[in-house]
Each structure stands twice: as structure tokens, then as C-alpha cells.
Amino acid sequence: MSANRFISLLASAIVLSCGEPASSQGLLKTLEGGNVSVAEFEASVSKILEKAGVAGLSCAVINDSAIVYLQAFGRRDASTGGLNDEETNFAAASFSKTVFAYLVMSLAEEGTVNLDEPLQTYLGGPLHEHPAYADLEGDERAGQITARMVLAHTTGFPNWRFLTEDGRLSIMFDPGSRFSYSGEGFDLLQEVVERVTGQGLEELAQTRVFAPLGMLRTSYVWQEMYESNFAAPHDEFGRPRRVNRRREADAAGSMQTTAEDYARFLAAIMNAGALGKASVEAMLEPQIAIQSQRMFGPGAWNDTGEYADIRLAWSLGWGRFDTEYGRAFFHTGHDFGFQNYTVTYPDNGFGIVLLSNSDNFESVAREIVEAALGDDRSPFDWLGYPRFDPSRRREPPPEPVAIEVDPSILSAYMGEYRYATGEVLSFKLEGDRLFFSQDGETWDEAFPETETRFFIEGDDLRFTFLQDEEGEVTGLVLQSQGIELRWERVR
């Protein structure tokens, strides 16, 4: 660790805690009261990442409620050879939800939002009267959903409606009765927060969280300053994929951050910075006991007593468990080409932030967490993190090859296509090349694999255009990561 970096961390420790950085002696403290040398830890991490084919990782460690260690490993982009450093921005994925939960708790603290008020009250009428929630018409349970249920993932909503069999939003169980992780709920609560405050999520987060906590390289929307130092996503074969520059703030998953910035956020929680101690305690209080075998998939509906020994639960925005080392709160982040994990033991002042730009990180996350903190209780099996197995490695499939297609065929695809929730994809023709955009600002070329099927270079995204019997284009099917979504053409 450089002298300048140590001075920077010492300044952070003075601001966030009265504790002395544990790494000042080249050591990291562990939960059981021992130490691990920084050199030993870094050597272990480097070997772990190499064996699993993890492109890159950024790591922050907290001891005594202060940031004591920062290090970046591997490449931010395998195609250029550029290396990650402490200021490299990573997609936070669902870490976005934890910051939003903190923001909501601050609004509740001042009385702007009541955690137990039905959300439709803030929207001025039943949820089904709003276009994005029209599917809920006839289900009176929609009127029971509160901010507390959203933050505790007990709304009854699916994670995302597009992952359901019929692609529609529904309430799968009585709100408040069990845990089921849901990004849909966070999008609903974001709409409420923006309406009652009259401000967008990005503005709220910058003024209430990021700026006060010194999170200078964190944002819910892509910033120009990231262009010089960002981590590109990498698939399981180590291939860099297309970067998704999110232009609209999404509480469920659009945040970009660094390990240092996010560790500042964790330290603020432990030290009740910006949010009062009572609100922090309320945020970390278990709301619903988790009985499910797994967080996602079929196991999410199979109840078990497998995690009773750690009293696995969900609090307001965080997973929660108890061990002989005290209570702990955790979260995972998963996006195409990015996998993240964080766990914090607030009573002992321990924590770790791991941000990776690789689809292979989850298979070795437990090894790194244990190497840094001596934590062998994080519920990785419940999260569905596989254990590293070299025999699972596969040969990469061949990249698609573009063919020549007459521009007159391409011109038939121009226009807009709308998904059921209102999102729009746009296509335009420039010369004899077809381009698509998700926001009307950033355009990527869509290369023809056949006359109706197109791919995006450096991405597994595929578009298949649909035609009726007369040959008129009526819509498209978007395919990515094994998911298929149908979009209707806008007339």
C-alpha cells in the first residue's frame, strides 16, 4: 500500500471513526481475534482469482469501523490490458438497493415517508390505475403494500415480471407474509419517493448520501468522468462485453461505485453518519425470517430449517444473520459481467466490499471473504453461489458472424418497439447499417446474423424481428442470458 493511499485512509478513519487503521502494521484483523498479513492476503487473492478466471476485483476492508485496506486486482478490460485501480468504477448492481434503503430511512426519519403507509396513498389512487401496474386490477392486496414491505422484500411481487411465465406483474402471496426478493418493489417505491419529494433519485442520492459521505465516484447514472477509468464486464470465458452506460436512475440496480466509496457508506452505517443511530438500528432490525432453501429459483419456494442456526432474515434493505461474532448484514450484486458481495459485522467493526467485473467471481467469493475476515458464516449456499469446480469450465461458443443484408430489408425495422412496462427500444438506419438505442442517446450497431436476427458486438444480446403473414414487421423478441422478452412495434 502506497504512503499516499495510507494517508488517505487515515484521513477517512479520522472522519468516520476514532479507531486506528489496523493495516498500519501490514495486518488485517479477523473476527476470531487474530490477524492476517496484507502480503499473505493479497497473495491468496491473486491465486484465487487466477484459478477461477476472474478478470478483476476491487476490495475494501473495514476494521474497527474504519476503512483500513484498499486494493484492486486484475484487469478492467482484457481487450486493452488496462488494470483496475482504487478509482476504477464498477457496476454496483443490487448494491444500489442498499443505498436507496438508506435514503428511504432518512426520509422516514424526517417524516417525509411513513414506512407503514400504503404506497398507493402517495400515488393518489389504486396502483392498478397507473399504467405500469394495470396488471394488478382486481387484486385488493395491492393496497396493502408499504415501504417497509418493499425494503424487506415481502411485497409478494416477483423479482421482475419479465421473468415470470406470462410476463405480467402479479402478487404471488399475501404482502408481508414471507420473503421473496423483488426489484419490482424497489421500482415502485422509487416512483413514490420521487413523487413525494419532487426530486429525481439521482439528485436525492447526491445531496443526501453521496456528497455528505464523500462518495465522489458514485452515481445512479453514468457520469462522463467514468470514461477514463471504468471496469468492463467480462463473461465466464474472460471475454469483455458491451458496457451498459445507464442514463436513467434505477433504485434496483443502476448505481456505479468504487470499493472505497461503498466502504465509506458501510462505515457511515456503523458510525451512524448522516443517519441517526435510532434509524440505523431500525434499518438493521430483522423484518422477516427467511425459511427458503435458496434466494432464487425453485429453491426459493422450498422451505427449510437449514439456516436456523444463523437466524437468517431480511431487514430494511439488507440481508441479516447472527453468529458467535455478533449480528451481520450483507448484500449481493449480480449483473451481466459483474458480481459483487459485501458483509459487515457492525458490533465488531468489521466489513468487506468486493466488486468484480467477472461472471466467475461468485464461485470464489467465500474463499476471499474467509481469507480477509475469517468469516465462514456468510450464507453463500442460500445465495446460490457455487463452489469453485475446475471441471465445470467450458469452451467459449463461437462469436456470431455478420452477413450482408439489403438496406431495403433493414429499413423495414426502423422505428420504436415497446415492452409491456413502457420501456422503448429505438432502431434507425444510417447508410446500410442498422443501429439500436435504449435511451435515444447512445446507439449501438445491430449486426445481421440472418435477415431477421441481429446481434450486438461484445454482447449476448439478440434481436429477432417478427412479421405477420403480409410481411409487415409487428414486433421483436429480445434474447439475453437465456431470457426472451417480446416487444411490440409502436405504430
Side-chain angles (χ1 to χ4, degrees):
M1 183 181 297
S2 70
N4 288 341
R5 174 52 66 187
F6 175 71
I7 292 171
S8 172
L9 292 180
L10 181 59
S12 297
I14 293 172
V15 172
L16 297 172
S17 171
C18 60
E20 180 184 355
S23 61
S24 59
Q25 302 299 319
L27 299 173
L28 299 175
K29 295 181 179 180
T30 59
L31 286 164
E32 67 271 19
N35 295 290
V36 61
S37 75
V38 168
E40 179 185 347
F41 172 67
E42 291 180 350
S44 295
V45 171
S46 295
K47 290 179 181 178
I48 290 168
L49 299 181
E50 182 179 4
K51 76 174 183 180
V54 175
L57 179 76
S58 190
C59 173
V61 175
I62 295 173
N63 287 172
D64 301 317
S65 301
I67 307 169
V68 297
Y69 174 80
L70 294 172
Q71 187 59 271
F73 300 84
R75 293 180 172 82
R76 63 174 185 253
D77 189 335
S79 65
T80 65
L83 300 178
N84 287 312
D85 60 42
E86 289 90 346
E87 294 189 342
T88 302
N89 272 88
F90 286 72
S94 285
F95 280 15
S96 307
K97 296 181 176 72
T98 63
V99 172
F100 181 65
Y102 187 89
L103 171 61
V104 171
M105 294 303 292
S106 75
L107 294 172
E109 187 175 62
E110 67 183 30
T112 302
V113 172
N114 184 326
L115 296 179
D116 298 307
E117 185 74 27
L119 293 182
Q120 67 179 23
T121 303
Y122 295 105
L123 298 177
L127 285 187
H128 72 260
E129 292 182 356
H130 300 266
Y133 301 97
D135 290 343
L136 300 179
E137 185 173 7
D139 194 333
E140 295 183 358
R141 295 176 299 176
Q144 302 171 16
I145 295 172
T146 65
R148 185 182 301 277
M149 293 174 186
V150 169
L151 299 182
H153 293 287
T154 64
T155 59
F157 288 157
N159 189 7
W160 296 108
R161 70 190 75 189
F162 63 75
L163 297 175
T164 64
E165 208 168 296
D166 60 4
R168 301 182 64 183
L169 182 63
S170 64
I171 298 176
M172 303 179 294
F173 52 82
D174 290 345
S177 64
R178 67 175 292 141
F179 173 88
S180 183
Y181 192 85
S182 175
E184 291 280 357
F186 274 71
D187 278 358
L188 171 59
L189 184 53
Q190 178 183 341
E191 183 177 343
V192 168
V193 165
E194 292 179 332
R195 177 169 295 207
V196 299
T197 62
Q199 296 176 285
L201 173 57
E202 174 65 10
E203 181 183 359
L204 285 166
Q206 288 292 350
T207 57
R208 288 176 171 267
V209 185
F210 302 151
L213 300 185
M215 300 169 68
L216 303 182
R217 289 188 65 84
T218 302
S219 173
Y220 275 103
V221 295
W222 186 267
Q223 301 290 340
E224 191 64 32
M225 65 176 173
Y226 301 158
E227 292 293 344
S228 62
N229 193 356
F230 65 88
H234 292 72
D235 67 12
E236 65 175 298
F237 308 108
R239 301 178 301 188
R241 304 285 85 180
R242 184 177 65 93
V243 177
N244 187 6
R245 294 169 170 81
R246 305 286 289 271
R247 308 293 182 181
E248 293 187 9
D250 177 13
S254 70
M255 196 172 77
Q256 290 274 331
T257 194
T258 65
E260 179 176 11
D261 273 11
Y262 197 79
R264 283 177 176 270
F265 171 61
L266 296 181
I269 292 174
M270 285 190 278
N271 294 289
L275 190 63
K277 185 173 179 60
S279 295
V280 168
E281 289 301 314
M283 181 174 67
L284 301 182
E285 187 69 20
Q287 301 294 309
I288 188 78
I290 293 174
Q291 310 292 341
S292 61
Q293 185 179 26
R294 295 290 180 269
M295 187 177 187
F296 297 111
W301 303 102
N302 297 332
D303 289 347
T304 177
E306 188 175 349
Y307 306 104
D309 62 327
I310 61 170
R311 293 182 288 281
L312 184 62
W314 210 268
S315 57
L316 297 177
W318 295 93
R320 162 71 194 265
F321 62 95
D322 296 333
T323 75
E324 62 270 32
Y325 308 121
R327 58 182 175 162
F329 61 93
F330 69 97
H331 214 282
T332 184
H334 185 111
D335 204 348
F336 303 143
F338 292 99
Q339 295 179 352
N340 312 319
Y341 183 70
T342 185
V343 64
T344 301
Y345 288 78
D347 302 324
N348 316 60
F350 285 91
I352 189 168
V353 179
L354 298 170
L355 304 173
S356 83
N357 55 330
S358 171
D359 278 338
N360 293 327
F361 165 74
E362 290 176 358
S363 68
V364 291
R366 70 186 76 211
E367 297 179 46
I368 298 173
V369 171
E370 187 165 3
L373 302 181
D375 171 14
D376 61 356
R377 305 308 297 275
S378 280
F380 291 117
D381 289 337
W382 178 75
L383 289 169
Y385 282 20
R387 293 180 183 272
F388 175 71
D389 181 355
S391 68
R392 291 179 180 170
R393 284 184 172 164
R394 301 183 297 120
E395 289 298 317
E399 297 280 12
V401 177
I403 65 170
E404 293 290 332
V405 173
D406 192 288
S408 64
I409 295 176
L410 301 180
S411 65
Y413 303 139
M414 292 191 302
E416 294 183 341
Y417 299 78
R418 180 176 287 115
Y419 187 59
T421 51
E423 291 90 346
V424 172
L425 295 178
S426 301
F427 288 81
K428 69 178 181 180
L429 196 64
E430 291 187 359
D432 59 354
R433 299 160 66 194
L434 188 67
F435 290 82
F436 100 101
S437 175
Q438 294 172 285
D439 57 15
E441 297 181 16
T442 305
W443 294 83
D444 292 285
E445 185 169 2
F447 294 92
E449 201 170 353
T450 69
E451 289 187 350
T452 59
R453 181 176 167 85
F454 292 74
F455 67 92
I456 307 302
E457 194 170 43
D459 203 320
D460 77 334
L461 204 61
R462 300 289 186 273
F463 303 103
T464 301
F465 290 95
L466 307 175
Q467 299 175 328
D468 60 19
E469 293 179 354
E470 284 72 40
E472 183 176 357
V473 178
T474 58
L476 63 82
V477 173
L478 182 152
Q479 298 168 301
S480 183
Q481 299 286 315
I483 299 170
E484 291 191 356
L485 306 177
R486 180 166 180 146
W487 301 61
E488 300 297 329
R489 189 167 193 178
V490 178
R491 300 299 178 185

